[in-house]
Amino acid sequence: MKISRYLQALALALLASCAGLLQAAAIYPINQATILAGSKFDIKVEFNSVVNPADVIIELNGASLNTFTKNKPEFIANENGKGSSVYIRDVQLPKAGKYQVTAKAQQEQLQVSWDVYASGPRRVKNVILFIGDGMTIANRTTARVLSKGIQEGKYQGRLAFDDMPSTAMIGTSGSDSLITDSANSMSAYTTGHKTAVNAMGVYVSRASDNLSHPKVETIAELVKRNTKMSVGIVSDAELEDATPGAMVSHTRRRADKQYIADQLLASGAEVILGGGSAYFYPQSAKGSKRKDEKNLVESFKSNGYQVAFTKQELISAAQSKNTKKLFGVFHPDNMDGSLDRLYLKKNTVEQYPNQPDLTEMTQSAIDVLSRNPNGFFLMVEAALIDKFNHPLDWERAAFDTIMLSNAVQIARDFAKTHPDTLIIVTPDHTHSGSISGVVHDDKPGPLREKVGIYADAGYPNYPKADIQGYPNKIDVSKRIAFFYGNYPDHYETLHPKLDGTFVPAIKSEDGKYVANPQYLQLQEDAIHVGGNLPSHQESGVHTADDAVLNAQGPGSEKFKGFMDNTEVFKVMVESLGLGSK
């Protein structure tokens, strides 16, 4: 009896183990993939067991794969001890249509479906893609309140992207999770393929090397391969960060920043502007984060780029009509946000006082790229919206949303004389913030009682914005009551953080994050808020809420209703005619 139960338990365990193995087998691109006709991508098949290469049969719509590509397959007998794998690199499917893909070997059979679409003819000369990283609805609303003002319920102006004619709700989830990060969400925009958290330009397979996963072509690569257009990449984060990195890179891990810096150089993009200089200098240079002696700054110079390290050098280089290629790095890490650079002079502004604004980088990029009569593709990221939303610093996020609006206005002004320009403004994902009322300092009682709600909220009393759209004071007596929906333990002060970006939690001796006591010391009536995130999480996290996209120009009419983030790529490549016709 005991032996029988033991055998039964063993059989169940083996079945469970086999089920797990069966789930591991895969074909890449994955099921439901949408693929631009003529674009390059890797096919990879992963079997559960070790198979004989002579037994492997891969078919598309019932015909041998050899019918569609002459590229020779690479066979891995037993990849990481998990079974045999087959790679076919740089596949191109020039004909649009539905494809059933099957892979067989011995007793295993796998199947996925792909939808390959043609781009049609080119409709626009230029595309400008603005990414408000992590920008949620509440970031837009607070930016509008601060920048334009509101009287008796009516805003006294609009952000530059508020009245664009086309609007869509964008789903941002990745292939592996409801919640995305900036790497795979941006990768969906730049490749049209879903992938997993922390990955860009690849499907995440069982490969152990970050750079060996099956690749998909990016829009920057398509532009360079198929046209004579120019490409621009602008960000106020490190240029090796997820969003700019996804324009040119193919890696499982967004943390491969040295590789991403190398790819930026190799990409041939005519304009590259942002932070992250630490990865462009050899390891022997002070402050370098490289692990080798490559000097990418010198390589850019050798490749004919004008190089800028300050705002003044950037503007001067961009205004020169002889400048056709421009590389600028203005900070070893992420650049400082507009609230600190323009008003508070906190964070690292004293160390790096000559950082350009996103507007100046946008104008410089357009000035240089527009000298190419064949057109351009430009990506501009307002990265710090996300980097301030994470630590629950809504004022800094609002100021950088205003800065994004100012940058978008520059593009819209350009489009007035260049109507063959498609402009898109979208987050890559969202955060959890919302506006719940107005804080009134003169209300009696504990701090929480100072939050006016409904009729008691009234309106904040921020001063009228200056010519750039910013109020010159934020610690006023009636302030927006802005609360995030997910957070670590922290002290809520209901005041802006004038001494530097909010640091809500710090790591305790047991490795868990606890409320940062600094804010209780600064403000004794600060409210302790118990976190609703895992205790190992130090800041707020991304949400699955839909992102709001706005657009104008030829092709923008395709943005409507609810769309998947991969469809943003589709609209761009169709507008530029980048695929097989």
Side-chain angles (χ1 to χ4, degrees):
M1 188 69 173
K2 289 181 179 179
I3 294 175
S4 175
R5 286 178 181 173
Y6 170 78
L7 291 174
Q8 185 179 31
L10 181 61
L12 288 170
L14 287 170
L15 284 171
S17 176
C18 289
L21 284 172
L22 290 173
Q23 291 172 3
I27 296 177
Y28 303 98
I30 59 177
N31 192 42
Q32 304 182 80
T34 52
I35 302 171
L36 174 67
S39 66
K40 291 184 178 182
F41 62 96
D42 296 344
I43 294 176
K44 185 182 184 185
V45 179
E46 295 178 341
F47 294 103
N48 285 323
S49 56
V50 175
V51 301
N52 187 326
D55 294 334
V56 175
I57 300 172
I58 303 174
E59 296 179 333
L60 275 65
N61 290 343
S64 171
L65 182 61
N66 295 334
T67 308
F68 300 88
T69 179
K70 301 305 179 185
N71 297 346
K72 292 184 178 181
E74 304 168 26
F75 183 76
I76 303 174
N78 191 7
E79 188 174 25
N80 300 320
K82 297 178 180 179
S84 299
S85 299
V86 181
Y87 273 105
I88 305 93
R89 307 282 187 181
D90 291 333
V91 176
Q92 293 176 273
L93 297 177
K95 187 176 180 181
K98 302 287 185 181
Y99 286 79
Q100 290 286 331
V101 187
T102 58
K104 306 173 186 175
Q106 295 167 189
Q107 302 302 312
E108 295 188 52
Q109 179 167 331
L110 311 173
Q111 182 173 300
V112 297
S113 297
W114 300 335
D115 183 8
V116 177
Y117 58 91
S119 68
R122 184 173 177 178
R123 298 183 57 198
V124 299
K125 182 177 180 179
N126 313 303
V127 172
I128 305 176
L129 172 64
F130 286 95
I131 303 295
D133 200 306
M135 182 174 66
T136 195
I137 289 288
N139 295 136
R140 295 171 61 136
T141 306
T142 52
R144 196 182 306 111
V145 171
L146 295 173
S147 183
K148 308 303 178 183
I150 183 170
Q151 296 178 9
E152 296 180 318
K154 290 191 175 182
Y155 287 98
Q156 302 302 291
R158 301 284 189 271
L159 300 175
F161 39 85
D162 279 341
D163 59 356
M164 285 181 162
S166 297
T167 300
M169 308 293 287
I170 306 298
T172 63
S173 298
S175 63
D176 64 331
S177 176
L178 179 67
I179 309 300
T180 191
D181 93 311
S182 292
N184 58 326
S185 59
M186 185 60 180
S187 187
Y189 288 158
T190 59
T191 69
H193 291 260
K194 292 285 191 182
T195 190
V197 169
N198 288 324
M200 57 179 80
V202 296
Y203 279 101
V204 175
S205 68
R206 63 188 177 200
S208 57
D209 177 20
N210 290 348
L211 306 183
S212 296
H213 296 264
K215 297 176 175 62
V216 289
E217 196 167 24
T218 72
I219 193 167
E221 292 168 328
L222 280 161
V223 165
K224 284 299 182 185
R225 184 167 63 83
N226 291 337
T227 77
K228 295 181 180 180
M229 296 169 61
S230 293
V231 172
I233 301 169
V234 173
S235 176
D236 51 7
E238 293 177 298
L239 283 163
E240 307 83 11
D241 204 18
T243 301
M247 286 284 292
V248 299
S249 303
H250 305 273
T251 176
R252 171 65 183 94
R253 296 292 175 193
R254 58 181 286 181
D256 289 335
K257 293 185 178 182
Q258 178 172 303
Y259 158 77
I260 294 170
D262 293 342
Q263 290 302 108
L264 286 164
L265 173 65
S267 73
E270 281 75 8
V271 174
I272 302 173
L273 304 173
S277 62
Y279 289 96
F280 292 102
Y281 287 103
Q283 64 178 339
S284 56
K286 183 180 179 181
S288 173
K289 295 181 180 178
R290 291 190 68 88
K291 305 300 182 185
D292 60 27
E293 284 300 316
K294 287 183 181 178
N295 189 327
L296 300 193
V297 173
E298 291 302 318
S299 296
F300 276 108
K301 290 179 181 178
S302 299
N303 290 352
Y305 287 79
Q306 294 297 309
V307 176
F309 303 107
T310 66
K311 173 172 63 176
Q312 295 80 6
E313 291 175 352
L314 170 68
I315 294 171
S316 176
Q319 289 177 345
S320 170
K321 294 192 180 342
N322 294 323
T323 300
K324 300 296 191 297
K325 296 197 291 185
L326 178 59
F327 172 72
V329 279
F330 312 102
H331 197 288
D333 204 297
N334 300 316
M335 296 170 68
D336 285 301
S338 55
L339 178 57
D340 292 295
R341 279 187 296 102
L342 301 175
Y343 300 97
L344 301 180
K345 308 301 180 183
K346 298 298 182 179
N347 290 336
T348 65
V349 174
E350 287 189 3
Q351 297 168 260
Y352 307 100
N354 295 315
Q355 302 171 62
D357 194 81
L358 191 70
T359 56
E360 292 160 333
M361 292 195 288
T362 301
Q363 185 66 69
S364 297
I366 292 174
D367 287 346
V368 174
L369 296 171
S370 60
R371 295 182 184 127
N372 184 346
N374 299 299
F376 63 84
F377 180 91
L378 169 63
M379 188 285 296
V380 178
E381 181 197 22
L384 305 183
I385 299 172
D386 174 74
K387 297 189 188 303
F388 294 137
N389 274 332
H390 274 292
L392 319 181
D393 199 326
W394 74 262
E395 287 96 346
R396 283 179 169 81
F399 265 61
D400 276 28
T401 304
I402 296 170
M403 181 172 64
L404 172 62
S405 173
N406 293 341
V408 171
Q409 188 59 55
I410 289 169
R412 296 192 72 178
D413 291 343
F414 173 80
K416 289 175 183 176
T417 55
H418 300 79
D420 49 359
T421 300
L422 171 62
I423 302 173
I424 304 164
V425 185
T426 183
D428 51 348
H429 58 78
T430 53
H431 278 270
S432 65
S434 62
I435 301 167
S436 300
V438 173
V439 180
H440 293 253
D441 282 345
D442 60 359
K443 280 182 175 287
L447 188 60
R448 65 185 295 178
E449 304 303 331
K450 297 181 184 296
V451 178
I453 57 175
Y454 296 111
D456 287 339
Y459 289 101
N461 60 352
Y462 298 103
K464 185 177 180 180
D466 61 21
I467 193 170
Q468 297 182 81
Y470 303 104
N472 62 12
K473 185 178 181 182
I474 55 172
D475 197 15
V476 293
S477 60
K478 296 178 183 179
R479 303 176 299 280
I480 289 172
F482 189 109
F483 300 106
Y484 288 89
N486 64 67
Y487 41 81
D489 289 5
H490 65 282
Y491 284 102
E492 177 58 69
T493 68
L494 296 181
H495 279 274
K497 309 305 183 287
L498 302 180
D499 293 329
T501 305
F502 190 28
V503 181
I506 59 173
K507 186 177 285 190
S508 62
E509 292 182 358
D510 63 1
K512 296 179 179 180
Y513 280 90
V514 298
N516 189 343
Q518 167 190 346
Y519 297 97
L520 182 60
Q521 295 163 6
L522 292 171
Q523 184 177 322
E524 60 183 25
D525 65 344
I527 303 166
H528 183 270
V529 181
N532 60 8
L533 294 172
S535 59
H536 60 76
Q537 179 61 37
E538 69 204 85
S539 63
V541 299
H542 301 170
T543 62
D545 302 357
D546 295 344
V548 178
L549 177 149
N550 302 100
Q552 71 170 59
S556 65
E557 69 280 355
K558 294 182 179 180
F559 291 115
K560 55 188 175 181
F562 175 82
M563 301 176 70
D564 187 70
N565 53 7
T566 58
E567 294 177 275
V568 176
F569 171 86
K570 184 176 182 182
V571 173
M572 293 190 296
V573 296
E574 287 177 341
S575 299
L576 289 170
L578 290 179
S580 300
K581 308 300 186 281

